[in-house]
Amino acid sequence: MKSSSGISRRDLLKYMGLTAAVPPLLRASQHGPRQVKFVDVAAAAGIHFRHDNAASPEKYLIETMGSGCGWIDYDQNGLLDLYLVNGAATRLYTPPHPLHSALYRNNGDGTFTDVTEKAGVGAEGLFGMGVAVGDYDNDGFPDLLVLGYGRCILYHNNGNGTFTDVTAHAGVKNSGRWASSAAWFDYDNDGHLDLVIANYVDWSPNRNFWCGDHGPGMRSYCHPDDYNGEPPTLFHNNGDGTFTDVSQKSGVGLKPGNGLGVVTFDYDNDGWQDIFIANDSMANFLFHNNRDGTFREVAYFAGVAVSADGLPEAGMGTDAADTTGNGRMDLIVTHLDSQLARFYRNRGDGTFDDDTMQSQLGYATFHMSGFGTRFMDYDNDGWPDIFMANGHVLDNIQRYNSSVHYAEPKLMFRNLGNGTFQNVSNALGADFLLPRVSRGAAIADFDNDGDLDVLVNNNGEAPQLLRNDGGNANHWLEIFLIGTKSNRDAIGARVKAVAGNLILYDQKKGGMSYQSAQDPRLHFGLGGRRIIDSLQIDWPSGATTKLEAIPADQIISVKEGIGLVQRPFPRVRPGI
Protein backbone atom coordinates (compact mmCIF):
# COMPACT_ATOMS: atom_id res chain seq x y z
CA MET A 1 0.00 0.00 0.00
CA LYS A 2 1.27 3.45 -0.89
CA SER A 3 0.19 6.92 0.16
CA SER A 4 -0.66 9.61 -2.41
CA SER A 5 2.97 10.74 -2.31
CA GLY A 6 4.25 7.30 -3.28
CA ILE A 7 5.50 6.26 0.19
CA SER A 8 4.92 2.62 1.04
CA ARG A 9 3.77 1.50 4.48
CA ARG A 10 7.08 -0.32 4.91
CA ASP A 11 9.02 2.90 4.21
CA LEU A 12 6.83 4.89 6.58
CA LEU A 13 7.43 2.39 9.37
CA LYS A 14 11.14 2.39 8.64
CA TYR A 15 11.47 6.16 8.92
CA MET A 16 9.36 6.24 12.05
CA GLY A 17 12.03 4.08 13.64
CA LEU A 18 9.95 0.90 13.80
CA THR A 19 12.35 -1.28 11.85
CA ALA A 20 16.09 -1.89 11.87
CA ALA A 21 18.34 0.83 13.18
CA VAL A 22 20.46 3.09 11.02
CA PRO A 23 23.61 1.33 9.75
CA PRO A 24 26.85 1.93 11.65
CA LEU A 25 28.31 5.37 11.04
CA LEU A 26 31.16 5.73 8.58
CA ARG A 27 32.09 9.25 9.60
CA ALA A 28 35.21 11.16 8.66
CA SER A 29 35.21 12.95 12.00
CA GLN A 30 37.55 11.69 14.69
CA HIS A 31 34.96 12.66 17.27
CA GLY A 32 31.34 11.80 17.88
CA PRO A 33 28.48 14.29 17.53
CA ARG A 34 29.20 17.64 19.17
CA GLN A 35 26.72 19.38 21.42
CA VAL A 36 25.53 22.24 19.23
CA LYS A 37 22.75 24.68 20.05
CA PHE A 38 21.31 27.44 17.91
CA VAL A 39 20.35 30.54 19.91
CA ASP A 40 18.20 33.31 18.43
CA VAL A 41 20.11 36.53 19.11
CA ALA A 42 18.25 38.81 16.66
CA ALA A 43 16.49 41.01 19.22
CA ALA A 44 19.48 41.16 21.57
CA ALA A 45 21.69 42.09 18.61
CA GLY A 46 19.53 45.13 17.84
CA ILE A 47 17.71 43.70 14.81
CA HIS A 48 14.24 45.16 15.26
CA PHE A 49 12.95 44.52 11.75
CA ARG A 50 9.58 42.87 11.15
CA HIS A 51 8.47 41.63 7.75
CA ASP A 52 5.12 43.02 6.59
CA ASN A 53 3.39 40.77 4.08
CA ALA A 54 0.48 43.19 3.45
CA ALA A 55 -2.02 40.47 4.36
CA SER A 56 -5.55 41.17 3.11
CA PRO A 57 -8.90 39.36 2.91
CA GLU A 58 -8.45 39.21 -0.88
CA LYS A 59 -5.48 36.82 -0.48
CA TYR A 60 -3.12 38.42 -2.95
CA LEU A 61 -0.65 35.69 -3.92
CA ILE A 62 2.34 37.99 -3.35
CA GLU A 63 1.45 38.13 0.36
CA THR A 64 2.56 34.59 1.10
CA MET A 65 5.60 33.99 -1.14
CA GLY A 66 8.21 36.47 0.06
CA SER A 67 10.71 37.41 2.74
CA GLY A 68 14.26 36.92 1.52
CA CYS A 69 17.43 37.83 3.38
CA GLY A 70 21.15 37.96 2.77
CA TRP A 71 24.70 38.60 3.91
CA ILE A 72 26.89 41.32 2.44
CA ASP A 73 30.15 42.78 3.73
CA TYR A 74 29.26 46.11 2.15
CA ASP A 75 32.09 48.09 3.77
CA GLN A 76 34.69 45.32 3.33
CA ASN A 77 35.89 45.33 6.93
CA GLY A 78 35.77 41.55 7.25
CA LEU A 79 32.46 41.53 9.14
CA LEU A 80 29.31 40.31 7.39
CA ASP A 81 26.38 42.71 7.44
CA LEU A 82 22.81 41.57 6.80
CA TYR A 83 19.93 42.60 4.58
CA LEU A 84 16.24 41.85 5.12
CA VAL A 85 13.65 42.16 2.35
CA ASN A 86 10.21 43.64 3.05
CA GLY A 87 6.81 43.95 1.39
CA ALA A 88 5.04 47.16 0.41
CA ALA A 89 1.65 48.83 0.38
CA THR A 90 -0.92 47.44 -2.06
CA ARG A 91 -4.20 48.77 -3.38
CA LEU A 92 -5.86 46.89 -0.49
CA TYR A 93 -3.38 47.54 2.29
CA THR A 94 -1.99 50.75 3.74
CA PRO A 95 0.62 50.03 6.40
CA PRO A 96 0.69 52.10 9.59
CA HIS A 97 4.24 53.19 8.71
CA PRO A 98 6.05 53.38 5.36
CA LEU A 99 7.65 50.05 4.55
CA HIS A 100 11.20 49.42 3.40
CA SER A 101 13.80 46.69 3.35
CA ALA A 102 16.68 47.05 5.79
CA LEU A 103 20.49 46.91 5.89
CA TYR A 104 22.08 46.23 9.28
CA ARG A 105 25.79 46.87 9.83
CA ASN A 106 27.73 44.33 11.88
CA ASN A 107 29.31 46.28 14.76
CA GLY A 108 31.81 43.54 15.57
CA ASP A 109 30.60 43.09 19.13
CA GLY A 110 27.56 40.90 18.53
CA THR A 111 25.25 43.80 17.74
CA PHE A 112 24.00 45.37 14.51
CA THR A 113 23.01 48.93 13.56
CA ASP A 114 20.31 49.84 11.04
CA VAL A 115 22.10 51.84 8.32
CA THR A 116 19.40 51.59 5.64
CA GLU A 117 18.76 55.31 5.27
CA LYS A 118 22.42 56.27 5.22
CA ALA A 119 23.25 53.54 2.72
CA GLY A 120 20.24 54.31 0.52
CA VAL A 121 19.06 50.72 0.02
CA GLY A 122 15.51 50.75 1.43
CA ALA A 123 13.81 49.66 -1.82
CA GLU A 124 10.76 51.73 -0.85
CA GLY A 125 7.67 50.98 -2.89
CA LEU A 126 8.95 47.61 -4.11
CA PHE A 127 6.99 44.58 -2.96
CA GLY A 128 10.19 42.71 -2.29
CA MET A 129 10.87 39.00 -2.60
CA GLY A 130 14.58 38.18 -2.70
CA VAL A 131 18.11 39.52 -2.65
CA ALA A 132 21.30 38.60 -4.50
CA VAL A 133 24.80 39.93 -3.79
CA GLY A 134 27.66 40.12 -6.30
CA ASP A 135 30.50 42.40 -7.35
CA TYR A 136 29.31 42.84 -10.93
CA ASP A 137 31.90 45.52 -11.81
CA ASN A 138 34.89 43.87 -10.08
CA ASP A 139 35.71 46.97 -8.04
CA GLY A 140 36.11 45.06 -4.77
CA PHE A 141 32.81 46.16 -3.23
CA PRO A 142 29.77 43.83 -3.41
CA ASP A 143 26.65 45.19 -5.04
CA LEU A 144 23.04 44.51 -4.06
CA LEU A 145 20.15 43.30 -6.21
CA VAL A 146 16.69 43.40 -4.64
CA LEU A 147 14.08 41.31 -6.45
CA GLY A 148 10.36 41.89 -6.30
CA TYR A 149 6.98 41.84 -7.88
CA GLY A 150 6.96 43.80 -11.14
CA ARG A 151 10.59 44.92 -11.10
CA CYS A 152 14.05 44.63 -9.54
CA ILE A 153 16.44 47.23 -8.13
CA LEU A 154 20.22 47.11 -8.60
CA TYR A 155 22.16 49.10 -6.03
CA HIS A 156 25.79 49.83 -6.93
CA ASN A 157 28.13 49.90 -3.94
CA ASN A 158 29.97 53.23 -3.97
CA GLY A 159 32.66 51.99 -1.58
CA ASN A 160 31.97 54.70 0.99
CA GLY A 161 29.06 53.18 2.87
CA THR A 162 26.45 54.29 0.34
CA PHE A 163 24.80 52.79 -2.72
CA THR A 164 23.36 54.23 -5.92
CA ASP A 165 20.31 52.88 -7.75
CA VAL A 166 21.70 52.03 -11.20
CA THR A 167 18.84 49.80 -12.38
CA ALA A 168 17.93 51.87 -15.42
CA HIS A 169 21.52 52.39 -16.56
CA ALA A 170 22.42 48.72 -16.05
CA GLY A 171 19.27 47.49 -17.83
CA VAL A 172 18.28 44.84 -15.27
CA LYS A 173 14.85 46.08 -14.16
CA ASN A 174 13.17 42.84 -15.26
CA SER A 175 10.08 44.95 -15.76
CA GLY A 176 6.63 43.41 -15.55
CA ARG A 177 7.80 40.12 -14.11
CA TRP A 178 7.55 38.66 -10.64
CA ALA A 179 11.15 37.91 -9.72
CA SER A 180 11.72 35.48 -6.87
CA SER A 181 15.39 34.43 -6.60
CA ALA A 182 18.53 35.27 -8.55
CA ALA A 183 22.11 34.12 -8.98
CA TRP A 184 25.19 36.08 -9.96
CA PHE A 185 27.50 33.80 -11.96
CA ASP A 186 29.91 33.95 -14.89
CA TYR A 187 28.35 31.65 -17.47
CA ASP A 188 30.86 32.44 -20.25
CA ASN A 189 33.99 32.65 -18.04
CA ASP A 190 34.86 36.11 -19.34
CA GLY A 191 35.63 37.49 -15.87
CA HIS A 192 32.36 39.41 -15.42
CA LEU A 193 29.36 38.31 -13.37
CA ASP A 194 26.19 37.65 -15.34
CA LEU A 195 22.74 37.39 -13.78
CA VAL A 196 19.99 34.77 -13.96
CA ILE A 197 16.58 35.46 -12.42
CA ALA A 198 13.97 32.84 -11.52
CA ASN A 199 10.60 34.40 -12.34
CA TYR A 200 7.31 33.19 -10.87
CA VAL A 201 3.79 33.44 -12.37
CA ASP A 202 1.84 36.18 -14.20
CA TRP A 203 -0.41 37.03 -11.23
CA SER A 204 -1.73 40.58 -10.96
CA PRO A 205 -4.28 42.35 -8.70
CA ASN A 206 -6.60 42.47 -11.71
CA ARG A 207 -6.43 38.69 -12.01
CA ASN A 208 -6.79 37.75 -8.37
CA PHE A 209 -9.19 34.81 -8.51
CA TRP A 210 -11.24 33.42 -5.66
CA CYS A 211 -9.60 30.19 -4.55
CA GLY A 212 -10.68 27.81 -1.82
CA ASP A 213 -14.18 27.37 -0.47
CA HIS A 214 -16.71 30.17 -0.01
CA GLY A 215 -17.45 29.57 3.67
CA PRO A 216 -16.25 32.01 6.36
CA GLY A 217 -12.46 31.96 6.67
CA MET A 218 -12.10 29.44 3.85
CA ARG A 219 -10.75 31.63 1.07
CA SER A 220 -7.15 30.63 0.28
CA TYR A 221 -4.19 31.78 -1.72
CA CYS A 222 -4.41 30.45 -5.25
CA HIS A 223 -2.36 27.60 -6.64
CA PRO A 224 0.28 28.62 -9.22
CA ASP A 225 -1.46 26.45 -11.79
CA ASP A 226 -4.21 29.08 -11.85
CA TYR A 227 -1.77 31.38 -13.65
CA ASN A 228 0.68 31.19 -16.51
CA GLY A 229 4.33 30.68 -15.70
CA GLU A 230 7.11 33.09 -16.64
CA PRO A 231 10.40 32.09 -18.27
CA PRO A 232 13.68 32.83 -16.47
CA THR A 233 15.66 35.93 -17.41
CA LEU A 234 19.37 35.82 -18.26
CA PHE A 235 21.37 39.06 -18.41
CA HIS A 236 24.86 39.09 -19.92
CA ASN A 237 27.35 41.46 -18.31
CA ASN A 238 28.82 43.72 -20.99
CA GLY A 239 31.75 44.70 -18.79
CA ASP A 240 30.90 48.40 -18.85
CA GLY A 241 28.26 48.56 -16.12
CA THR A 242 25.45 47.51 -18.44
CA PHE A 243 23.77 44.21 -19.21
CA THR A 244 22.09 42.69 -22.26
CA ASP A 245 19.02 40.46 -22.01
CA VAL A 246 20.10 37.22 -23.70
CA SER A 247 17.25 35.06 -22.38
CA GLN A 248 16.04 33.98 -25.81
CA LYS A 249 19.43 33.83 -27.53
CA SER A 250 20.94 31.69 -24.76
CA GLY A 251 18.03 29.25 -24.60
CA VAL A 252 17.34 29.96 -20.92
CA GLY A 253 14.17 31.95 -21.60
CA LEU A 254 12.56 29.77 -24.24
CA LYS A 255 9.86 28.19 -22.09
CA PRO A 256 7.87 29.35 -19.07
CA GLY A 257 8.42 28.12 -15.54
CA ASN A 258 7.11 28.81 -12.07
CA GLY A 259 10.59 29.64 -10.83
CA LEU A 260 11.23 30.09 -7.11
CA GLY A 261 14.75 28.93 -6.15
CA VAL A 262 17.95 28.90 -8.21
CA VAL A 263 21.47 27.57 -7.80
CA THR A 264 24.30 27.74 -10.34
CA PHE A 265 26.95 25.02 -10.11
CA ASP A 266 29.05 22.77 -12.31
CA TYR A 267 27.22 19.47 -12.05
CA ASP A 268 29.35 17.66 -14.67
CA ASN A 269 32.75 19.09 -13.64
CA ASP A 270 33.56 20.49 -17.08
CA GLY A 271 34.62 23.89 -15.71
CA TRP A 272 31.46 25.77 -16.75
CA GLN A 273 28.58 26.66 -14.47
CA ASP A 274 25.13 25.21 -15.13
CA ILE A 275 21.76 26.50 -13.87
CA PHE A 276 19.19 24.64 -11.79
CA ILE A 277 15.80 26.29 -11.13
CA ALA A 278 13.20 24.83 -8.77
CA ASN A 279 9.78 25.28 -10.35
CA ASP A 280 6.57 25.34 -8.35
CA SER A 281 4.17 22.57 -9.43
CA MET A 282 5.85 21.97 -12.76
CA ALA A 283 9.02 20.24 -13.92
CA ASN A 284 12.26 21.80 -12.70
CA PHE A 285 14.84 23.24 -15.10
CA LEU A 286 18.45 22.14 -15.43
CA PHE A 287 20.26 24.21 -18.03
CA HIS A 288 23.47 22.57 -19.21
CA ASN A 289 26.12 25.09 -20.22
CA ASN A 290 27.11 24.46 -23.85
CA ARG A 291 30.27 26.59 -23.39
CA ASP A 292 29.35 28.78 -26.37
CA GLY A 293 26.98 31.24 -24.70
CA THR A 294 23.98 28.92 -24.95
CA PHE A 295 22.31 26.39 -22.67
CA ARG A 296 20.39 23.16 -23.22
CA GLU A 297 17.55 22.28 -20.84
CA VAL A 298 18.22 18.68 -19.70
CA ALA A 299 16.28 18.24 -16.43
CA TYR A 300 14.28 15.21 -17.59
CA PHE A 301 17.32 13.53 -19.09
CA ALA A 302 19.34 14.25 -15.93
CA GLY A 303 16.60 12.94 -13.62
CA VAL A 304 15.96 16.17 -11.66
CA ALA A 305 12.82 17.45 -13.41
CA VAL A 306 10.33 15.50 -11.30
CA SER A 307 10.21 13.04 -8.42
CA ALA A 308 11.04 9.35 -8.73
CA ASP A 309 7.37 8.59 -9.32
CA GLY A 310 7.28 11.03 -12.26
CA LEU A 311 5.36 13.86 -10.64
CA PRO A 312 6.23 17.58 -10.70
CA GLU A 313 6.25 19.08 -7.22
CA ALA A 314 6.10 22.46 -5.51
CA GLY A 315 9.80 23.28 -5.91
CA MET A 316 10.86 26.14 -3.66
CA GLY A 317 14.38 26.20 -2.20
CA THR A 318 17.46 24.48 -3.60
CA ASP A 319 21.18 23.97 -3.07
CA ALA A 320 24.01 21.74 -4.28
CA ALA A 321 26.95 20.08 -2.50
CA ASP A 322 29.23 17.07 -2.52
CA THR A 323 27.73 15.04 0.32
CA THR A 324 29.90 11.93 0.11
CA GLY A 325 33.40 13.15 -0.81
CA ASN A 326 33.34 11.84 -4.38
CA GLY A 327 33.74 15.24 -6.06
CA ARG A 328 30.22 15.28 -7.47
CA MET A 329 27.59 17.84 -6.53
CA ASP A 330 24.24 16.51 -5.31
CA LEU A 331 20.99 18.51 -5.21
CA ILE A 332 18.37 19.26 -2.56
CA VAL A 333 14.95 20.70 -3.44
CA THR A 334 12.27 21.62 -0.88
CA HIS A 335 8.55 21.18 -1.47
CA LEU A 336 5.14 21.52 0.12
CA ASP A 337 3.86 19.05 2.70
CA SER A 338 3.06 15.50 1.50
CA GLN A 339 5.53 15.87 -1.40
CA LEU A 340 8.80 15.37 0.51
CA ALA A 341 12.01 17.33 0.17
CA ARG A 342 13.86 15.68 -2.71
CA PHE A 343 17.49 14.62 -2.58
CA TYR A 344 19.03 13.96 -5.99
CA ARG A 345 22.35 12.10 -5.91
CA ASN A 346 24.80 12.87 -8.71
CA ARG A 347 25.86 9.66 -10.51
CA GLY A 348 28.79 11.30 -12.29
CA ASP A 349 27.54 10.54 -15.80
CA GLY A 350 25.35 13.60 -16.27
CA THR A 351 22.41 12.06 -14.44
CA PHE A 352 21.02 11.98 -10.90
CA ASP A 353 19.09 9.43 -8.83
CA ASP A 354 16.17 10.45 -6.61
CA ASP A 355 17.60 9.13 -3.33
CA THR A 356 15.08 10.84 -1.07
CA MET A 357 13.98 7.68 0.69
CA GLN A 358 17.38 5.96 0.61
CA SER A 359 18.96 9.01 2.24
CA GLN A 360 16.28 8.88 4.97
CA LEU A 361 15.07 12.45 4.35
CA GLY A 362 11.55 11.34 3.46
CA TYR A 363 9.47 10.90 6.57
CA ALA A 364 10.58 14.00 8.49
CA THR A 365 9.65 16.29 5.60
CA PHE A 366 6.28 14.69 4.86
CA HIS A 367 4.23 17.17 6.93
CA MET A 368 6.53 20.16 6.32
CA SER A 369 6.60 22.87 3.66
CA GLY A 370 10.22 23.77 3.02
CA PHE A 371 11.51 27.03 1.59
CA GLY A 372 15.07 28.18 2.35
CA THR A 373 17.50 25.27 2.39
CA ARG A 374 21.27 24.92 2.50
CA PHE A 375 23.93 22.29 2.78
CA MET A 376 25.99 23.34 5.80
CA ASP A 377 28.43 21.50 8.04
CA TYR A 378 26.91 22.78 11.27
CA ASP A 379 29.11 20.64 13.55
CA ASN A 380 32.36 20.88 11.53
CA ASP A 381 32.78 17.11 11.29
CA GLY A 382 33.65 17.23 7.58
CA TRP A 383 30.27 16.24 6.13
CA PRO A 384 27.74 18.74 4.70
CA ASP A 385 24.46 18.56 6.62
CA ILE A 386 21.07 19.84 5.40
CA PHE A 387 19.15 22.78 6.89
CA MET A 388 15.55 23.61 6.00
CA ALA A 389 13.40 26.62 6.93
CA ASN A 390 9.72 25.73 6.85
CA GLY A 391 6.29 27.31 6.82
CA HIS A 392 3.10 26.64 4.88
CA VAL A 393 1.73 28.97 2.21
CA LEU A 394 -1.89 28.83 3.41
CA ASP A 395 -2.59 30.76 6.62
CA ASN A 396 -5.79 28.72 7.07
CA ILE A 397 -4.31 25.33 6.23
CA GLN A 398 -5.66 23.71 9.41
CA ARG A 399 -9.20 24.23 8.17
CA TYR A 400 -8.30 21.85 5.37
CA ASN A 401 -5.73 19.56 7.00
CA SER A 402 -5.51 19.35 10.78
CA SER A 403 -2.14 17.55 10.66
CA VAL A 404 -0.40 20.46 8.91
CA HIS A 405 0.43 23.84 10.45
CA TYR A 406 1.02 27.31 8.99
CA ALA A 407 4.00 28.04 11.27
CA GLU A 408 6.53 25.20 11.40
CA PRO A 409 9.86 24.45 13.11
CA LYS A 410 13.22 24.30 11.33
CA LEU A 411 14.81 21.02 10.32
CA MET A 412 18.43 19.87 10.41
CA PHE A 413 19.61 16.58 8.94
CA ARG A 414 23.04 15.42 10.05
CA ASN A 415 25.10 13.76 7.35
CA LEU A 416 26.12 10.34 8.63
CA GLY A 417 28.82 9.90 6.01
CA ASN A 418 27.31 6.77 4.50
CA GLY A 419 24.79 8.29 2.14
CA THR A 420 22.13 8.82 4.80
CA PHE A 421 21.02 11.70 6.99
CA GLN A 422 19.67 11.77 10.54
CA ASN A 423 17.04 14.23 11.74
CA VAL A 424 18.72 15.97 14.70
CA SER A 425 16.41 19.00 14.88
CA ASN A 426 15.19 18.20 18.39
CA ALA A 427 18.74 18.35 19.77
CA LEU A 428 19.56 21.87 18.56
CA GLY A 429 17.75 23.96 21.15
CA ALA A 430 14.36 25.52 21.81
CA ASP A 431 14.92 28.51 19.51
CA PHE A 432 15.61 26.21 16.57
CA LEU A 433 12.25 24.49 17.09
CA LEU A 434 10.06 27.58 17.46
CA PRO A 435 7.32 27.40 14.79
CA ARG A 436 7.59 30.23 12.26
CA VAL A 437 6.33 30.98 8.75
CA SER A 438 9.84 30.90 7.32
CA ARG A 439 10.87 31.75 3.78
CA GLY A 440 14.39 33.04 3.08
CA ALA A 441 17.41 31.43 4.77
CA ALA A 442 20.99 32.66 4.55
CA ILE A 443 23.95 30.80 6.10
CA ALA A 444 27.08 32.60 7.29
CA ASP A 445 29.73 32.72 9.98
CA PHE A 446 28.68 36.22 11.04
CA ASP A 447 30.87 36.24 14.15
CA ASN A 448 33.96 34.75 12.42
CA ASP A 449 34.29 32.04 15.07
CA GLY A 450 34.46 29.11 12.66
CA ASP A 451 30.94 27.69 12.83
CA LEU A 452 27.99 28.48 10.60
CA ASP A 453 25.06 30.59 11.80
CA VAL A 454 21.60 30.89 10.25
CA LEU A 455 19.62 34.00 9.29
CA VAL A 456 15.93 33.42 8.52
CA ASN A 457 13.40 36.00 7.37
CA ASN A 458 9.89 35.00 8.39
CA ASN A 459 6.78 35.98 6.45
CA GLY A 460 4.77 38.54 8.40
CA GLU A 461 7.01 38.07 11.45
CA ALA A 462 10.32 39.09 12.97
CA PRO A 463 13.49 37.44 11.59
CA GLN A 464 15.68 35.00 13.47
CA LEU A 465 19.46 35.12 13.74
CA LEU A 466 20.34 31.66 15.00
CA ARG A 467 23.87 31.76 16.39
CA ASN A 468 25.72 28.46 16.34
CA ASP A 469 27.06 27.71 19.81
CA GLY A 470 29.38 24.70 19.92
CA GLY A 471 29.98 23.93 16.26
CA ASN A 472 33.57 25.16 16.45
CA ALA A 473 34.56 22.47 18.96
CA ASN A 474 35.73 20.63 15.85
CA HIS A 475 38.35 22.16 13.58
CA TRP A 476 37.55 24.18 10.47
CA LEU A 477 38.83 26.34 7.63
CA GLU A 478 37.15 29.18 5.73
CA ILE A 479 38.40 30.45 2.39
CA PHE A 480 37.78 33.87 0.84
CA LEU A 481 38.58 33.71 -2.87
CA ILE A 482 39.59 36.76 -4.91
CA GLY A 483 39.54 36.45 -8.68
CA THR A 484 41.77 38.52 -10.95
CA LYS A 485 41.47 37.12 -14.45
CA SER A 486 38.33 35.36 -13.21
CA ASN A 487 35.41 37.34 -11.82
CA ARG A 488 36.46 38.94 -8.55
CA ASP A 489 33.93 36.89 -6.52
CA ALA A 490 35.49 33.72 -8.01
CA ILE A 491 32.04 32.25 -8.62
CA GLY A 492 32.61 29.04 -10.52
CA ALA A 493 35.85 28.18 -8.74
CA ARG A 494 36.26 24.54 -7.65
CA VAL A 495 38.18 23.64 -4.50
CA LYS A 496 39.67 20.38 -3.23
CA ALA A 497 40.94 20.16 0.35
CA VAL A 498 42.88 17.20 1.74
CA ALA A 499 43.38 16.75 5.50
CA GLY A 500 44.73 13.33 6.34
CA ASN A 501 42.17 10.77 5.21
CA LEU A 502 39.53 13.46 4.71
CA ILE A 503 39.05 14.71 1.14
CA LEU A 504 36.58 17.55 0.63
CA TYR A 505 35.27 19.19 -2.54
CA ASP A 506 33.28 22.37 -2.93
CA GLN A 507 32.42 25.00 -5.50
CA LYS A 508 31.80 28.73 -5.35
CA LYS A 509 28.16 28.70 -6.39
CA GLY A 510 25.62 31.36 -7.33
CA GLY A 511 22.16 31.75 -5.83
CA MET A 512 21.27 28.93 -3.37
CA SER A 513 18.47 28.53 -0.83
CA TYR A 514 15.36 30.64 -1.49
CA GLN A 515 15.40 34.38 -2.24
CA SER A 516 18.59 34.80 -0.21
CA ALA A 517 22.32 35.65 -0.40
CA GLN A 518 24.94 33.56 1.37
CA ASP A 519 28.33 33.98 3.04
CA PRO A 520 30.84 34.59 0.21
CA ARG A 521 33.43 32.34 1.87
CA LEU A 522 33.76 28.59 1.45
CA HIS A 523 33.56 26.69 4.73
CA PHE A 524 35.15 23.31 5.48
CA GLY A 525 34.64 21.33 8.67
CA LEU A 526 37.67 19.22 9.54
CA GLY A 527 36.67 17.12 12.55
CA GLY A 528 39.77 16.49 14.66
CA ARG A 529 42.27 17.44 11.95
CA ARG A 530 44.50 20.43 12.68
CA ILE A 531 46.26 20.70 9.32
CA ILE A 532 45.06 20.90 5.73
CA ASP A 533 47.75 18.98 3.89
CA SER A 534 46.87 20.37 0.47
CA LEU A 535 44.44 22.81 -1.05
CA GLN A 536 43.79 23.07 -4.79
CA ILE A 537 41.73 25.85 -6.36
CA ASP A 538 40.70 25.60 -10.00
CA TRP A 539 39.66 29.08 -11.07
CA PRO A 540 37.04 29.81 -13.77
CA SER A 541 39.81 31.25 -15.97
CA GLY A 542 41.51 27.85 -16.10
CA ALA A 543 44.30 28.81 -13.70
CA THR A 544 45.13 26.61 -10.70
CA THR A 545 46.43 27.54 -7.25
CA LYS A 546 47.96 24.91 -4.96
CA LEU A 547 48.75 25.43 -1.27
CA GLU A 548 50.15 23.07 1.37
CA ALA A 549 50.32 22.66 5.16
CA ILE A 550 47.63 25.17 6.12
CA PRO A 551 46.82 25.31 9.84
CA ALA A 552 43.14 24.84 10.71
CA ASP A 553 40.86 27.21 12.61
CA GLN A 554 41.41 30.31 10.52
CA ILE A 555 39.91 32.33 7.68
CA ILE A 556 42.31 32.65 4.78
CA SER A 557 42.21 34.76 1.62
CA VAL A 558 43.52 33.37 -1.65
CA LYS A 559 44.07 35.60 -4.68
CA GLU A 560 44.18 34.18 -8.18
CA GLY A 561 47.72 34.21 -9.54
CA ILE A 562 49.25 35.17 -6.17
CA GLY A 563 48.17 32.75 -3.45
CA LEU A 564 47.68 33.64 0.20
CA VAL A 565 47.11 37.34 0.88
CA GLN A 566 46.47 39.22 4.10
CA ARG A 567 42.90 40.28 4.79
CA PRO A 568 41.36 40.95 8.22
CA PHE A 569 38.39 38.95 9.50
CA PRO A 570 37.96 40.19 13.09
CA ARG A 571 36.67 37.68 15.62
CA VAL A 572 33.40 38.87 17.13
CA ARG A 573 33.30 38.46 20.88
CA PRO A 574 29.69 39.25 21.68
CA GLY A 575 28.38 40.44 24.98
CA ILE A 576 24.98 38.91 24.25
Side-chain angles (χ1 to χ4, degrees), residues 100-157:
H100 61 79
S101 298
L103 175 65
Y104 282 86
R105 184 178 188 272
N106 189 334
N107 298 324
D109 61 359
T111 67
F112 291 77
T113 298
D114 188 336
V115 295
T116 311
E117 184 175 357
K118 178 181 178 182
V121 291
E124 294 87 352
L126 174 68
F127 203 107
M129 292 287 148
V131 59
V133 173
D135 184 3
Y136 74 87
D137 57 354
N138 291 330
D139 66 353
F141 289 91
D143 309 297
L144 188 67
L145 178 76
V146 187
L147 303 104
Y149 171 72
R151 62 188 175 99
C152 298
I153 300 174
L154 177 60
Y155 290 110
H156 176 262
N157 190 331

Side-chain angles (χ1 to χ4, degrees), residues 72-76 83 103 116-123 131-146 152-172 184 192-193 195 237 239-243 488-489:
I72 174 173
D73 182 5
Y74 79 98
D75 51 4
Q76 288 295 281
Y83 192 82
L103 175 65
T116 311
E117 184 175 357
K118 178 181 178 182
V121 291
V131 59
V133 173
D135 184 3
Y136 74 87
D137 57 354
N138 291 330
D139 66 353
F141 289 91
D143 309 297
L144 188 67
L145 178 76
V146 187
C152 298
I153 300 174
L154 177 60
Y155 290 110
H156 176 262
N157 190 331
N158 299 322
N160 61 1
T162 69
F163 293 74
T164 299
D165 182 344
V166 296
T167 313
H169 173 72
V172 294
W184 293 101
H192 301 286
L193 287 180
L195 176 66
N237 189 332
D240 60 0
T242 69
F243 293 77
R488 188 176 178 91
D489 287 351

Side-chain angles (χ1 to χ4, degrees), residues 88 95 243 253 308 421 423 564:
F243 293 77
F421 295 81
N423 182 5
L564 289 172

